[in-house]
Amino acid sequence: NGGSGDVVILGGGEAAGPLYPPAVIDESMYSCEEAAKNAYTETQLEPADIDWWGLYDCFPICFLRAIEAVGLADKGRGGEWIEKRYHETGGDGETLDYDPSIFPVNTHGGLLAFGAPWETPAIYNVCEGVAQLTGSAGKRQVKNARRALVYGNGGIFSASAIALLSRAVD
C-alpha cells in the first residue's frame, strides 16, 4: 500500500457541549463541528484530504449532523448529499453491490446496521478505518484510501471526539 502497512494517528479534536440535556435542545448542544475544526487545525488537513469517513450514526439525525459537521456537506444539506450518493451507487434499494469509493462513509454499515453495544460503538469506526487504510476491507475497500476520519459521540450530541488516521509511509 505504499507504506509499512501501519496506521498512524495524525491528530484529533475534541469538544463538549452541556453536561446535562437542557430544557431546549438547540444548536448550542452540538459539538461535532468544533471537534472537526480542532482536528483539521491540528493536522492541517481539510475534508478534501480525507478518503474514508467513519461517522457515529446511532440515529439518522446524528448521521446527518455528522455529514455536515465534518465538511462533507454544507449545513442543512446533508440529506441532499446522502441522496446524491445513493443515486450514484445505483440507488435501487435492492443492490448493495457498488464501488465503496463512490460513498466512502461507514462502509462497515455503521451503528444503524449493527447496533450500538455500550461503550464500544466508536471503536468500530476505528477498526474499519484501519481496515480501509491497510487495504484489508475486502468488498468494502475504498480505492487508494490514505487517510480516514473517525468520529465518536457521547451524551445528547454534546461530547465529540475525532481522530484523523493515515496509512504510514516509509
Side-chain angles (χ1 to χ4, degrees):
N1 67 13
S4 64
D6 293 337
V7 172
V8 297
I9 300 169
L10 297 176
E14 295 179 306
L19 180 59
Y20 299 102
V24 176
I25 295 177
D26 63 15
E27 291 297 311
S28 68
M29 292 196 56
Y30 301 100
S31 58
C32 186
E33 289 91 347
E34 186 178 348
K37 180 182 176 205
N38 293 341
Y40 290 137
T41 298
E42 179 177 312
T43 60
Q44 292 298 289
L45 295 174
E46 299 176 329
D49 298 316
I50 309 302
D51 303 305
W52 183 84
W53 311 79
L55 303 179
Y56 196 84
D57 64 344
C58 55
F59 295 100
I61 187 62
C62 295
F63 187 58
L64 286 171
R65 293 291 312 202
I67 290 282
E68 296 169 4
V70 300
L72 286 170
D74 291 335
K75 193 166 189 139
R77 302 280 189 206
E80 292 173 28
W81 187 89
I82 292 168
E83 187 173 359
K84 181 180 179 187
R85 295 304 166 286
Y86 172 75
H87 290 296
E88 287 174 355
T89 65
D92 61 12
E94 302 292 323
T95 305
L96 295 177
D97 188 24
Y98 68 93
D99 178 359
S101 300
I102 295 170
F103 192 10
V105 180
N106 290 4
T107 49
H108 55 344
L111 298 177
L112 292 172
F114 55 74
W118 192 253
E119 297 298 325
T120 61
I123 199 67
Y124 291 136
N125 291 337
V126 174
C127 292
E128 180 70 4
V130 169
Q132 289 291 337
L133 297 175
T134 58
S136 59
K139 290 180 79 173
R140 302 180 319 277
Q141 186 64 52
V142 171
K143 294 176 189 157
N144 304 313
R146 300 161 299 128
R147 294 188 194 100
L149 180 147
V150 294
Y151 162 56
N153 175 278
I156 312 281
F157 305 112
S158 60
S160 296
I162 288 179
L164 291 166
L165 311 176
S166 178
R167 185 173 62 200
V169 229
D170 292 334

